[in-house]
Amino acid sequence: MRNIPAFGLGTFRLQGQVVIDSVRNGLELGYRAIDTAQIYGNEADVGEAIAASGVRRDDLFLTTKIWVDNYARDKLVPSLEGSLAKLRTDYVDLTLIHWPAPGNGVPLEAYMTALAEAKEKGLTRRIGISNFNIELTKQAIAAVGKDAIATNQIELSPYLQGRKLVDFLQREGIHVTSYMTLAYGKVLGDPVIGAIARRHQATPAQVVLAWALQLGYSVIPSSTRRENLASNLIAQMLRLSDADMAQIAALERNGRQVSPEGLAPQWD
Ligand SMILES: NC(=O)c1ccc[n+]([C@@H]2O[C@H](COP(=O)([O-])OP(=O)(O)OC[C@H]3O[C@@H](n4cnc5c(N)ncnc54)[C@H](OP(=O)(O)O)[C@@H]3O)[C@@H](O)[C@H]2O)c1
């Protein structure tokens, strides 16, 4: 139950008709994994787009994330049931704790245990964490066991490579999902990425996504444009050389985009 699709569709920031169109286009093009979250406010739109697509539930991999207001034991399961109703499904494939939120009053062990209960109840096939550093991942492992944690979804891009955390997760056998792999578009104008893309007759986005896939990460890029959704998917066909990978490794610059105060941990 631990395998997570390598390629999925992100939906952060996308609302209403924009997300409905993005999911419809994605499903038509062959995307089968969709990443949403309670806080994105778009689960009902995602559910509507899926229902209209005619794609069988068994063929989909749906991820949602519990928002920090719902970490208390009496709130987590009902909130996930609310997400399922919006998504028009009986279960999701993966549910993540969205942020460790060290200051929000619910101890990590309590919300991880509540999440494990949601899995026991069959509301989610897998559980995992997002934005956890090494120390908090260790605490999550202590709470529910290593094998129960399907992934840690973290910000990783050529400008933020998180080697220490990634090395730890890979040593522990916890799958890595990269979010904002394209650094919300910021890496796409990089001259090194551009030169590699020209050599392969590929797009910069394909190069960046192929880099992450070759490192063993799952990716969930988002796009409002059908042509970008289509070309991003083709990144799975691109093979970068060791020299390409080394050039991208050298682009590290601690370029973190997302670190909300009160929610983010002390980054490694
Ligand atoms: N766990 C968390 O805390 C967390 C935090 C952030 C994000 N996420 C997840 O990760 C997903 C991905 O992150 P993201 O959406 O913030 O950023 P992203 O995927 O790094 O970048 C999306 C941006 O890149 C552009 N883009 C996509 N493909 C492109 C292409 N081929 N050529 C040029 N531009 C392209 C898109 O513009 P166009 O629309 O114009 O194509 C959009 O502006 C989110 O949607 C969300 O599901 C999770």
Side-chain angles (χ1 to χ4, degrees):
M1 245 336 146
R2 292 189 66 189
N3 54 327
I4 294 190
F7 214 99
L9 179 68
T11 64
F12 180 36
R13 300 184 197 83
L14 310 185
Q15 304 274 334
Q17 197 57 43
V18 174
V19 77
I20 290 172
D21 290 345
S22 180
V23 171
R24 190 195 60 235
N25 280 323
L27 292 173
E28 282 175 11
L29 292 163
Y31 286 77
R32 287 295 176 267
I34 301 174
D35 181 272
T36 181
Q38 293 176 341
I39 194 67
Y40 297 172
N42 63 14
E43 290 172 311
D45 297 321
V46 170
E48 183 180 327
I50 291 169
S53 74
V55 176
R56 282 174 36 154
R57 177 66 188 88
D58 292 0
D59 293 331
L60 289 173
F61 188 100
L62 301 182
T63 300
T64 195
K65 314 184 194 81
I66 305 289
W67 188 241
V68 296
D69 296 342
N70 298 325
Y71 287 179
R73 185 147 187 245
D74 59 341
K75 286 196 180 156
L76 193 145
V77 162
S79 83
L80 185 53
E81 286 168 341
S83 294
L84 300 185
K86 289 176 185 160
L87 288 163
R88 306 191 197 182
T89 184
D90 299 335
Y91 69 93
V92 282
D93 297 277
L94 174 65
T95 304
L96 306 176
I97 291 293
H98 204 149
W99 287 91
N104 92 333
V106 183
L108 183 150
E109 195 201 349
Y111 63 64
M112 287 308 300
T113 306
L115 186 61
E117 281 172 17
K119 183 180 166 196
E120 290 295 305
K121 284 179 184 290
L123 305 179
T124 182
R125 296 254 163 104
R126 301 165 190 74
I127 61 173
I129 53 183
S130 179
N131 298 300
F132 277 45
N133 66 7
I134 293 174
E135 173 53 31
L136 294 168
T137 303
K138 285 181 181 168
Q139 291 180 26
I141 291 170
V144 295
K146 188 160 68 176
D147 290 344
I149 301 173
T151 192
N152 188 3
Q153 183 184 118
I154 49 179
E155 183 181 348
L156 290 173
S157 76
Y159 289 168
L160 179 75
Q161 301 192 18
R163 276 317 325 175
K164 204 170 157 203
L165 176 55
V166 166
D167 287 348
F168 167 78
L169 293 170
Q170 292 185 333
R171 265 201 315 277
E172 293 292 323
I174 295 178
H175 185 66
V176 176
T177 301
S178 158
Y179 76 68
M180 286 175 94
T181 318
L182 309 175
Y184 199 54
K186 290 200 176 58
V187 297
L188 302 180
D190 187 282
V192 171
I193 303 278
I196 296 171
R198 280 192 296 280
R199 277 206 297 281
H200 289 276
Q201 296 180 308
T203 68
Q206 286 167 345
V207 168
V208 173
L209 294 167
W211 163 82
L213 292 168
Q214 271 177 241
L215 291 173
Y217 313 154
S218 292
V219 295
I220 45 171
S222 74
S223 178
T224 56
R225 293 165 200 260
R226 189 179 168 100
E227 61 271 27
N228 287 350
L229 290 170
S231 70
N232 289 352
L233 211 46
I234 298 170
Q236 293 173 101
M237 319 288 283
L238 179 58
R239 280 278 129 224
L240 299 178
S241 68
D242 291 349
D244 298 331
M245 294 296 283
Q247 283 190 348
I248 300 174
L251 297 178
E252 166 63 43
R253 60 197 61 177
N254 198 24
R256 188 178 300 282
Q257 311 273 331
V258 185
S259 190
E261 209 176 317
L263 303 182
Q266 197 92 47
W267 299 110
D268 297 299

